[in-house]
Amino acid sequence: MSEHYISTPALHQWVTDLWLAAGSDTREARLTADHLVGANLSGHDSHGVGMIPKYVLSWQADELQLNRNVSLLHDGGSMLSLDGNRGMGQAVTEEAMALAIGRAKEHGVCVMGLRQSHHLGRVGHWAEQACAAGMISIHFVNVLSKPIVAPHGGSEARFGTNPFTIGLPVAGAQPLVLDFATSAIALGKVRVAHNKGIEVPAGCLIDADGVPTTRPEVMFPADGAAQGALQAFGEHKGHVLAVMCELLGAAVTGGHTIRPETLTHRHAVWNNMLAIVFDPQRLGTSTSFGGEVQAFADWIRSSRQQSGHAGIALPGEPERQRRRERAEAIPVDSGTLAQLDDAAARVQSVRGASPGPLSRLAR
Ligand code: NAD
């Protein structure tokens, strides 16, 4: 499947205009574009503008709600319980993180539960928001949509790709950001492989009979056919981390864990998130902290390299490298481009306005 390039600022403007046309206020449209284009810029096309067709379906089904704010369910000072009210994840999570960062500045730490957000995208974005304020953050997230990941030892999907994320700011240096799905790969990466007509690496998928496969189409079967499943990363280790993301992200925050009774929607991806945000300065180690990080980074980089590897990277470095490479233009495959044109046409049919097809900006 062929690949097109779209100027990064033009793509950002198109996404902003699409959500303004759908009815978002300017803040929500801008934050949504910042986040989705930011995910593409970081190299995570799985969580970039390719999510828009799904968001538009969710909005058309009255599942995703525009222009919502978080509501405060419980205020314990350093403990905050928030409801995202099914709002656009890119907007309500920004608001929730700003509240948590404010409380962590005041109390040293904030444990924040956010329930019922629409898809909150690339979780590293929220860790970066905390890092920009000098805060360490740890995030456990569950995904409430059709189960797509098989438990370790199971051959049927039972949960989502439950991401786990840590952001670590370092004074005078770039932050370290660990941010990954607990599945061997994100479903969005299977979708991108499917759209491109290529296979996924071994160890990521099983077919509907539980047999390992590299064919992405097992996740996108024809109507009525049984779906395969993603596998957790690292055998039982990814599985147990995914279970904790489900329980800390949802059960502890008052959100729903994934079960047939809680899957009553058609198109939305709901996320629940537990975030622990704290100020490292308040541990009284600020004089040694940066030096220890730097010394450890130097030590691990001094390892002799294995053949076939380009170098030793720290968490967050691959994303920064991609941002440099994609600053001018972002690649979008033709399958995703067609889906985005269709999403704009659907906004046009509902609202009588849209930024027009994205494909006219592609080269
Ligand atoms: P991934 O497998 O690309 O791993 C990314 C992490 O590994 C980053 O921290 C990155 O800096 C680090 N990394 C990558 N290559 C490295 C290397 N060679 N050396 C050192 N570090 C390296 O990520 P993924 O599992 O595909 O997840 C992609 C995105 O999907 C994440 O941003 C995640 O938050 C998001 N996600 C969101 C949801 C949701 O429901 N909102 C669900 C699943 C995943």
Side-chain angles (χ1 to χ4, degrees), residues 39-227:
N40 289 106
L41 269 171
S42 308
H44 293 292
D45 294 336
S46 57
H47 286 71
V49 299
M51 289 302 297
I52 288 174
K54 197 159 178 52
Y55 289 14
V56 170
L57 279 173
S58 176
W59 164 72
Q60 283 186 289
D62 201 26
E63 292 175 351
L64 164 61
Q65 305 295 315
L66 303 186
N67 304 321
R68 290 283 169 100
N69 289 95
V70 296
S71 358
L72 193 55
L73 299 171
H74 173 78
D75 186 350
S78 61
M79 308 286 281
L80 280 181
S81 181
L82 305 171
D83 194 314
N85 293 313
R86 307 192 160 204
M88 182 73 89
Q90 285 69 17
V92 293
T93 313
E94 195 267 350
E95 189 184 4
M97 285 302 298
L99 286 170
I101 290 164
R103 293 303 173 90
K105 283 186 177 160
E106 195 178 336
H107 301 286
V109 62
C110 178
V111 180
M112 183 270 284
L114 172 66
R115 68 162 98 148
Q116 283 207 102
S117 168
H118 195 260
H119 188 246
L120 51 75
R122 178 181 159 260
V123 185
H125 190 92
W126 311 119
E128 285 159 4
Q129 185 181 348
C131 287
M135 300 290 155
I136 292 177
S137 68
I138 305 171
H139 307 250
F140 300 89
V141 179
N142 91 322
V143 188
L144 211 54
S145 64
K146 187 178 173 191
I148 50 171
V149 182
H152 184 59
S155 60
E156 287 174 298
R158 283 292 178 270
F159 43 77
T161 53
N162 293 2
F164 173 66
T165 301
I166 302 175
L168 182 73
V170 185
Q174 296 291 342
L176 276 66
V177 180
L178 173 160
D179 175 32
F180 55 67
T182 46
S183 51
I185 52 173
L187 179 65
K189 288 187 177 155
V190 185
R191 186 190 69 230
V192 170
H194 185 55
N195 285 344
K196 288 183 176 174
I198 58 174
E199 298 196 342
V200 301
C204 298
L205 289 178
I206 53 176
D207 68 18
D209 298 318
V211 177
T213 178
T214 55
R215 293 181 298 109
E217 54 268 32
V218 300
M219 296 305 292
F220 307 96
D223 281 350
Q227 193 182 40

